[in-house]
Amino acid sequence: MKLLIINGPNLNLLGLREPGLYGRETYDSLCARIAEHAEARGAECEFYQSNHEGDLVDAIQGALGDADGIVINPGAYTHTSIALLDAVNAVKIPTVEVHISDVNAREDFRKISYIRAGCVASVIGHGTNGYLEAVDLLLDRLEA
Ligand code: DQA
């Protein structure tokens, strides 16, 4: 099994960025933890982060024929991007949406997620451990 872990804008600044909301774990440390978690279940992870919407669309399209599942935190593009929704619907690769913070308990504009309609599940507000939960959800589903 191969999973593609995609992170959108500003998530490269994890650890530094608003730690009260997103915690103190760095992006690199998070990726290492996700890889280790997936490896323990016999799965491989590839990581991609970009601050640019079109690059995220390209990454989703590039997963076609390569990844069995996608974990994505689209950052602020969650609340604006129909292009990301169209991309996950186009490739039809099971995708889980992750948000580190509880977007439902923040500003109203964060309650809207366009990509959610194309995802098999969402993990919201569980901190960076939410990515591990997303990996488990995907692997459980792919192994079933
Ligand atoms: C986020 C929530 C978004 O509203 C925000 O723009 C982010 C991070 C989260 O992980 O909680 O960049 O997706």
Side-chain angles (χ1 to χ4, degrees):
M1 290 296 175
K2 181 171 173 187
L3 305 181
L4 176 62
I5 318 294
I6 301 178
N7 277 283
N10 301 306
L11 290 157
N12 54 315
L13 295 184
L14 277 180
L16 188 88
R17 173 193 184 200
E18 301 183 86
L21 281 172
Y22 302 116
R24 296 216 170 263
E25 183 168 25
T26 63
Y27 176 72
D28 285 347
S29 150
L30 173 62
C31 292
R33 213 152 60 85
I34 297 168
E36 198 181 320
H37 186 79
E39 230 168 77
R41 289 194 59 166
E44 178 197 343
C45 288
E46 186 180 320
F47 296 89
Y48 183 76
Q49 189 278 329
S50 175
N51 295 324
H52 306 281
E53 185 178 9
D55 289 344
L56 297 168
V57 170
D58 287 345
I60 293 166
Q61 290 187 9
L64 207 51
D66 186 49
D68 302 293
I70 297 174
V71 172
I72 185 165
N73 182 347
Y77 291 135
T78 305
H79 319 299
T80 61
S81 180
I82 298 166
L84 291 179
L85 169 64
D86 286 350
V88 295
N89 280 338
V91 298
K92 290 194 176 79
I93 297 168
T95 299
V96 175
E97 170 195 24
V98 173
H99 298 289
I100 298 168
S101 67
D102 183 359
V103 284
N104 295 316
R106 297 178 63 190
E107 300 96 326
D108 281 348
F109 61 79
R110 293 188 204 273
K111 293 178 182 148
I112 295 161
S113 167
Y114 285 100
I115 203 167
R116 192 160 304 158
C119 293
V120 296
S122 302
V123 181
I124 298 170
H126 294 182
T128 48
N129 285 340
Y131 289 85
L132 308 186
E133 282 178 50
V135 164
D136 283 336
L137 279 168
L138 272 179
L139 292 178
D140 288 350
R141 187 189 165 94
L142 291 166
E143 286 163 9

Tab-separated table of all heavy atoms in Angstrom, residues 8-11 17 21-22 73-79 98-103 106-107 109-110 125 131, ligand 1:
chain	number	residue	atom	x	y	z
A	8	GLY	N	-1.237	21.589	2.402
A	8	GLY	CA	-1.370	22.840	1.682
A	8	GLY	C	-0.643	23.998	2.348
A	8	GLY	O	0.281	23.788	3.149
A	9	PRO	N	-1.070	25.218	2.026
A	9	PRO	CA	-0.339	26.426	2.406
A	9	PRO	C	-0.127	26.587	3.901
A	9	PRO	O	-1.031	26.334	4.699
A	9	PRO	CB	-1.212	27.568	1.855
A	9	PRO	CG	-2.525	26.956	1.544
A	9	PRO	CD	-2.278	25.514	1.251
A	10	ASN	N	1.078	27.009	4.210
A	10	ASN	CA	1.504	27.374	5.567
A	10	ASN	C	1.727	26.183	6.498
A	10	ASN	O	2.198	26.351	7.616
A	10	ASN	CB	0.521	28.371	6.213
A	10	ASN	CG	0.412	29.641	5.400
A	10	ASN	OD1	1.437	30.263	5.111
A	10	ASN	ND2	-0.786	30.020	4.999
A	11	LEU	N	1.419	24.976	6.025
A	11	LEU	CA	1.624	23.815	6.904
A	11	LEU	C	3.095	23.432	6.976
A	11	LEU	O	3.501	22.713	7.897
A	11	LEU	CB	0.716	22.665	6.475
A	11	LEU	CG	-0.756	23.028	6.791
A	11	LEU	CD1	-1.729	22.244	5.940
A	11	LEU	CD2	-1.060	22.836	8.274
A	17	ARG	N	4.106	28.187	13.533
A	17	ARG	CA	2.889	28.895	13.169
A	17	ARG	C	1.798	28.725	14.227
A	17	ARG	O	1.363	27.606	14.481
A	17	ARG	CB	2.410	28.287	11.850
A	17	ARG	CG	1.084	28.759	11.391
A	17	ARG	CD	0.554	27.879	10.280
A	17	ARG	NE	-0.690	28.441	9.812
A	17	ARG	CZ	-1.601	27.779	9.142
A	17	ARG	NH1	-1.405	26.511	8.829
A	17	ARG	NH2	-2.706	28.364	8.776
A	21	LEU	N	-2.900	27.008	18.188
A	21	LEU	CA	-3.901	26.343	17.339
A	21	LEU	C	-3.376	25.044	16.751
A	21	LEU	O	-4.099	24.057	16.628
A	21	LEU	CB	-4.271	27.253	16.158
A	21	LEU	CG	-5.252	28.387	16.403
A	21	LEU	CD1	-5.318	29.282	15.166
A	21	LEU	CD2	-6.643	27.835	16.715
A	22	TYR	N	-2.092	25.070	16.344
A	22	TYR	CA	-1.564	23.960	15.548
A	22	TYR	C	-0.492	23.136	16.259
A	22	TYR	O	-0.006	22.157	15.687
A	22	TYR	CB	-1.018	24.499	14.216
A	22	TYR	CG	-2.067	25.247	13.411
A	22	TYR	CD1	-1.930	26.610	13.146
A	22	TYR	CD2	-3.204	24.598	12.946
A	22	TYR	CE1	-2.899	27.301	12.420
A	22	TYR	CE2	-4.179	25.276	12.231
A	22	TYR	CZ	-4.020	26.626	11.965
A	22	TYR	OH	-4.988	27.293	11.252
A	73	ASN	N	-4.475	17.709	3.978
A	73	ASN	CA	-4.859	18.905	4.730
A	73	ASN	C	-4.642	20.075	3.765
A	73	ASN	O	-3.515	20.518	3.581
A	73	ASN	CB	-4.013	19.063	5.983
A	73	ASN	CG	-4.461	20.279	6.793
A	73	ASN	OD1	-5.216	21.115	6.299
A	73	ASN	ND2	-3.991	20.376	8.029
A	74	PRO	N	-5.721	20.545	3.162
A	74	PRO	CA	-5.556	21.596	2.150
A	74	PRO	C	-5.348	22.983	2.750
A	74	PRO	O	-5.290	23.965	1.996
A	74	PRO	CB	-6.870	21.547	1.357
A	74	PRO	CG	-7.641	20.367	1.876
A	74	PRO	CD	-7.122	20.078	3.236
A	75	GLY	N	-5.242	23.086	4.084
A	75	GLY	CA	-5.070	24.394	4.709
A	75	GLY	C	-6.217	25.312	4.310
A	75	GLY	O	-7.375	24.878	4.205
A	76	ALA	N	-5.917	26.567	4.047
A	76	ALA	CA	-6.968	27.540	3.738
A	76	ALA	C	-7.701	27.217	2.433
A	76	ALA	O	-8.847	27.644	2.246
A	76	ALA	CB	-6.368	28.941	3.669
A	77	TYR	N	-7.081	26.437	1.532
A	77	TYR	CA	-7.766	26.077	0.288
A	77	TYR	C	-8.965	25.161	0.536
A	77	TYR	O	-9.811	24.993	-0.338
A	77	TYR	CB	-6.801	25.423	-0.715
A	77	TYR	CG	-5.767	26.374	-1.268
A	77	TYR	CD1	-4.426	26.006	-1.361
A	77	TYR	CD2	-6.122	27.643	-1.705
A	77	TYR	CE1	-3.472	26.872	-1.864
A	77	TYR	CE2	-5.174	28.522	-2.206
A	77	TYR	CZ	-3.849	28.132	-2.292
A	77	TYR	OH	-2.908	28.994	-2.793
A	78	THR	N	-9.023	24.581	1.732
A	78	THR	CA	-10.209	23.805	2.126
A	78	THR	C	-11.472	24.623	1.887
A	78	THR	O	-12.488	24.102	1.402
A	78	THR	CB	-10.153	23.520	3.655
A	78	THR	OG1	-8.926	22.895	3.959
A	78	THR	CG2	-11.322	22.681	4.123
A	79	HIS	N	-11.362	25.907	2.264
A	79	HIS	CA	-12.557	26.760	2.337
A	79	HIS	C	-12.823	27.531	1.048
A	79	HIS	O	-13.762	28.315	1.001
A	79	HIS	CB	-12.386	27.750	3.507
A	79	HIS	CG	-11.785	27.119	4.736
A	79	HIS	ND1	-12.394	26.074	5.397
A	79	HIS	CD2	-10.620	27.354	5.396
A	79	HIS	CE1	-11.621	25.714	6.421
A	79	HIS	NE2	-10.546	26.465	6.432
A	98	VAL	N	-7.903	16.073	6.588
A	98	VAL	CA	-7.449	16.284	7.974
A	98	VAL	C	-7.374	17.774	8.266
A	98	VAL	O	-6.915	18.558	7.430
A	98	VAL	CB	-6.042	15.671	8.193
A	98	VAL	CG1	-5.487	16.044	9.573
A	98	VAL	CG2	-6.076	14.154	8.079
A	99	HIS	N	-7.831	18.150	9.465
A	99	HIS	CA	-7.567	19.494	9.995
A	99	HIS	C	-7.047	19.353	11.409
A	99	HIS	O	-7.660	18.667	12.234
A	99	HIS	CB	-8.823	20.363	9.964
A	99	HIS	CG	-9.305	20.559	8.577
A	99	HIS	ND1	-8.627	21.342	7.675
A	99	HIS	CD2	-10.338	20.005	7.908
A	99	HIS	CE1	-9.237	21.283	6.516
A	99	HIS	NE2	-10.276	20.468	6.624
A	100	ILE	N	-5.939	20.008	11.654
A	100	ILE	CA	-5.304	19.929	12.969
A	100	ILE	C	-6.185	20.618	14.015
A	100	ILE	O	-6.411	20.093	15.106
A	100	ILE	CB	-3.909	20.594	12.900
A	100	ILE	CG1	-3.022	19.843	11.902
A	100	ILE	CG2	-3.268	20.653	14.294
A	100	ILE	CD1	-1.734	20.587	11.535
A	101	SER	N	-6.675	21.793	13.662
A	101	SER	CA	-7.519	22.553	14.584
A	101	SER	C	-8.983	22.168	14.361
A	101	SER	O	-9.328	21.558	13.341
A	101	SER	CB	-7.329	24.056	14.354
A	101	SER	OG	-7.830	24.414	13.075
A	102	ASP	N	-9.829	22.560	15.312
A	102	ASP	CA	-11.254	22.289	15.167
A	102	ASP	C	-11.885	23.413	14.348
A	102	ASP	O	-12.338	24.420	14.889
A	102	ASP	CB	-11.919	22.177	16.541
A	102	ASP	CG	-13.390	21.812	16.419
A	102	ASP	OD1	-13.873	21.666	15.277
A	102	ASP	OD2	-14.056	21.675	17.459
A	103	VAL	N	-11.899	23.208	13.035
A	103	VAL	CA	-12.383	24.263	12.137
A	103	VAL	C	-13.849	24.618	12.396
A	103	VAL	O	-14.284	25.726	12.088
A	103	VAL	CB	-12.179	23.883	10.641
A	103	VAL	CG1	-10.726	24.036	10.247
A	103	VAL	CG2	-12.667	22.474	10.334
A	106	ARG	N	-14.198	27.560	14.975
A	106	ARG	CA	-13.473	28.805	14.676
A	106	ARG	C	-14.377	29.749	13.862
A	106	ARG	O	-15.585	29.715	14.015
A	106	ARG	CB	-12.155	28.450	13.962
A	106	ARG	CG	-11.206	27.624	14.848
A	106	ARG	CD	-9.925	27.236	14.139
A	106	ARG	NE	-9.143	28.410	13.780
A	106	ARG	CZ	-8.069	28.364	12.976
A	106	ARG	NH1	-7.663	27.192	12.486
A	106	ARG	NH2	-7.423	29.463	12.680
A	107	GLU	N	-13.785	30.586	13.019
A	107	GLU	CA	-14.589	31.538	12.241
A	107	GLU	C	-15.566	30.772	11.338
A	107	GLU	O	-15.272	29.668	10.890
A	107	GLU	CB	-13.688	32.407	11.346
A	107	GLU	CG	-12.661	33.243	12.097
A	107	GLU	CD	-11.299	32.559	12.146
A	107	GLU	OE1	-11.242	31.302	12.220
A	107	GLU	OE2	-10.290	33.286	12.124
A	109	PHE	N	-16.218	31.129	8.256
A	109	PHE	CA	-15.719	30.761	6.925
A	109	PHE	C	-14.935	29.459	6.943
A	109	PHE	O	-14.770	28.807	5.909
A	109	PHE	CB	-14.905	31.900	6.283
A	109	PHE	CG	-13.668	32.322	7.041
A	109	PHE	CD1	-12.493	31.579	6.958
A	109	PHE	CD2	-13.664	33.476	7.818
A	109	PHE	CE1	-11.347	31.962	7.629
A	109	PHE	CE2	-12.515	33.873	8.512
A	109	PHE	CZ	-11.355	33.112	8.429
A	110	ARG	N	-14.465	29.038	8.130
A	110	ARG	CA	-13.726	27.770	8.210
A	110	ARG	C	-14.656	26.564	8.315
A	110	ARG	O	-14.223	25.418	8.276
A	110	ARG	CB	-12.759	27.786	9.395
A	110	ARG	CG	-11.629	28.771	9.223
A	110	ARG	CD	-10.573	28.649	10.300
A	110	ARG	NE	-9.846	29.892	10.443
A	110	ARG	CZ	-8.765	30.238	9.721
A	110	ARG	NH1	-8.262	29.413	8.839
A	110	ARG	NH2	-8.192	31.411	9.911
A	125	GLY	N	-9.707	18.458	14.240
A	125	GLY	CA	-9.486	18.951	15.600
A	125	GLY	C	-8.787	17.982	16.525
A	125	GLY	O	-8.868	18.141	17.742
A	131	TYR	N	-3.480	13.037	11.649
A	131	TYR	CA	-2.910	12.444	10.426
A	131	TYR	C	-2.740	10.938	10.606
A	131	TYR	O	-2.909	10.177	9.648
A	131	TYR	CB	-1.548	13.066	10.100
A	131	TYR	CG	-1.588	14.494	9.610
A	131	TYR	CD1	-1.613	15.559	10.495
A	131	TYR	CD2	-1.558	14.783	8.249
A	131	TYR	CE1	-1.620	16.875	10.058
A	131	TYR	CE2	-1.564	16.089	7.790
A	131	TYR	CZ	-1.603	17.134	8.704
A	131	TYR	OH	-1.617	18.421	8.245
B	1	DQA	C1	-6.239	23.936	8.914
B	1	DQA	C2	-7.439	24.850	9.168
B	1	DQA	C3	-7.572	25.887	8.077
B	1	DQA	O1	-8.701	26.717	8.319
B	1	DQA	C4	-6.336	26.746	8.034
B	1	DQA	O2	-6.427	27.698	6.978
B	1	DQA	C5	-5.091	25.960	7.944
B	1	DQA	C6	-4.962	24.747	8.744
B	1	DQA	C7	-6.012	22.962	10.089
B	1	DQA	O3	-5.232	22.046	9.901
B	1	DQA	O4	-6.595	23.118	11.159
B	1	DQA	O5	-4.141	26.345	7.271
B	1	DQA	O6	-6.480	23.169	7.751
